[in-house]
Amino acid sequence: MTMNEKIISSGLGDAVKVICFDSIDSTSSYLRRALDEGEQGTVLAVADRQTAGRGRSGKSFYSPDACGVYMSLLIHPGIGFESASCVTAKVCVAVCRAIESATGIAADIKWVNDLYLNGRKVCGILCEAINDYKNAVTESIIIGIGINVSTVDFPEELREIAGSLGAQNITREELAVQITKALLNISFGSLTEEELAFYRERSCVLGKTINYFINGQKNTAEAVGIDSSGGLVVKKNDGEILTLTSGEISVRLC
Ligand code: BTN
């Protein structure tokens, strides 16, 4: 069933322009096009299905009809690059908390910003920054969030990895509203002690052996910490300690 734009709009008030699609290539790509055409406001784009949903590292995001929340929020924080490096972790904490307060479901965080439930990925987050390099300012950010709410049938390659929230006590519209409110409440800058504590407490990676991939090359290490910008601190087999930042690195639990 199509999501109701009016319900989402009235839950959010005037500060956000809301656009609902039955079907679109990608809500994040839509907002990117809107930005390129001069959009200056805060815009929430939500879709019932995406035909070309995008994940990190060029992966696709499976977005079947009417069983997920596929949403992107365009904001214009105008923050320095130091603050921008903390956005991913802040967004992850905000989404995880919003899902929990809306549904009662406490998800785990898999660095950098996937949410897991019972060992399966139920939510992916993709933050795309639009930067003014001359002035070292992140002018706009498109925050894309994909949640499997009631997806049952996953394609073969996702069957062992992906899962669903299974939340039945909330509509997809209400979930989108609660998450958007949480995102709009983020105060940008450094990660607060509270955000860091939450991120660390919910991490399903800390203390585990992980594989991390840089430019497709596999490395193995133990995840030993989350630093103050949300970087993953790892200890390699030879004892060397290094910090992975979100960039192009992907992590797999061994
Ligand atoms: C990931 O798993 O790597 C991130 C997935 C992000 C998916 C969301 S769905 C809404 C928005 N539109 C997209 O094309 N991607 C994001």
Side-chain angles (χ1 to χ4, degrees):
M1 206 172 52
T2 305
M3 277 206 258
N4 188 315
E5 193 170 286
K6 280 207 184 109
I7 294 180
I8 298 179
S9 246
S10 67
L12 289 172
D14 293 338
V16 189
K17 192 197 283 184
V18 177
I19 304 169
C20 274
F21 298 96
D22 291 343
S23 178
I24 186 126
D25 54 347
S26 148
T27 51
S28 290
S29 302
Y30 167 80
L31 288 180
R32 182 65 222 224
R33 294 191 290 270
L35 189 66
D36 289 345
E37 282 161 19
E39 178 61 65
Q40 291 179 356
T42 303
V43 186
L44 174 70
V46 184
D48 271 310
R49 71 188 268 263
Q50 297 181 117
T51 55
R54 298 188 284 108
R56 285 188 309 278
S57 311
K59 292 198 183 122
S60 60
F61 187 82
Y62 181 59
S63 315
D65 197 25
C67 41
V69 170
Y70 318 118
M71 57 178 273
S72 300
L73 182 68
L74 171 64
I75 53 171
H76 310 276
I79 48 175
F81 287 174
E82 291 259 319
S83 301
S85 67
C86 300
V87 165
T88 296
K90 278 183 180 278
V91 165
C92 190
V93 167
V95 173
C96 192
R97 280 186 162 148
I99 290 177
E100 184 167 358
S101 70
T103 66
I105 295 168
D108 298 323
I109 298 174
K110 183 182 154 236
W111 191 88
V112 53
N113 52 1
D114 288 334
L115 298 185
Y116 271 60
L117 195 62
N118 304 320
R120 284 168 182 271
K121 175 168 167 173
V122 294
C123 169
I125 300 170
L126 175 68
C127 294
E128 295 171 295
I130 291 86
N131 294 322
D132 169 356
Y133 288 101
K134 202 165 130 222
N135 297 305
V137 167
T138 293
E139 286 180 334
S140 308
I141 304 176
I142 297 170
I143 303 170
I145 299 164
I147 305 172
N148 307 324
V149 178
S150 59
T151 318
V152 206
D153 253 347
F154 288 97
E156 180 76 42
E157 67 277 13
L158 296 178
R159 229 160 261 165
E160 300 298 315
I161 313 163
S164 277
L165 264 191
Q168 285 168 356
N169 54 348
I170 188 162
T171 61
R172 290 179 299 136
E173 283 96 339
E174 189 53 28
L175 194 51
V177 167
Q178 294 306 327
I179 290 171
T180 306
K181 282 185 174 168
L183 295 176
L184 294 173
N185 264 332
I186 290 177
S187 106
F188 292 104
S190 318
L191 284 163
T192 64
E193 281 306 320
E194 209 210 346
E195 285 168 329
L196 267 174
F198 185 91
Y199 195 101
R200 288 173 178 144
E201 187 192 304
R202 285 298 169 83
S203 170
C204 59
V205 164
L206 286 183
K208 305 253 170 64
T209 302
I210 57 150
N211 288 328
Y212 62 96
F213 298 80
I214 303 181
N215 298 329
Q217 195 174 335
K218 182 170 138 186
N219 304 271
T220 302
E222 189 194 344
V224 293
I226 303 287
D227 80 0
S228 58
S229 312
L232 183 65
V233 184
V234 300
K235 188 175 177 187
K236 289 170 44 177
N237 291 342
D238 62 6
E240 189 192 341
I241 302 276
L242 66 130
T243 302
L244 309 179
T245 53
S246 54
E248 282 307 303
I249 293 163
S250 74
V251 157
R252 254 181 240 151
L253 291 165
C254 292

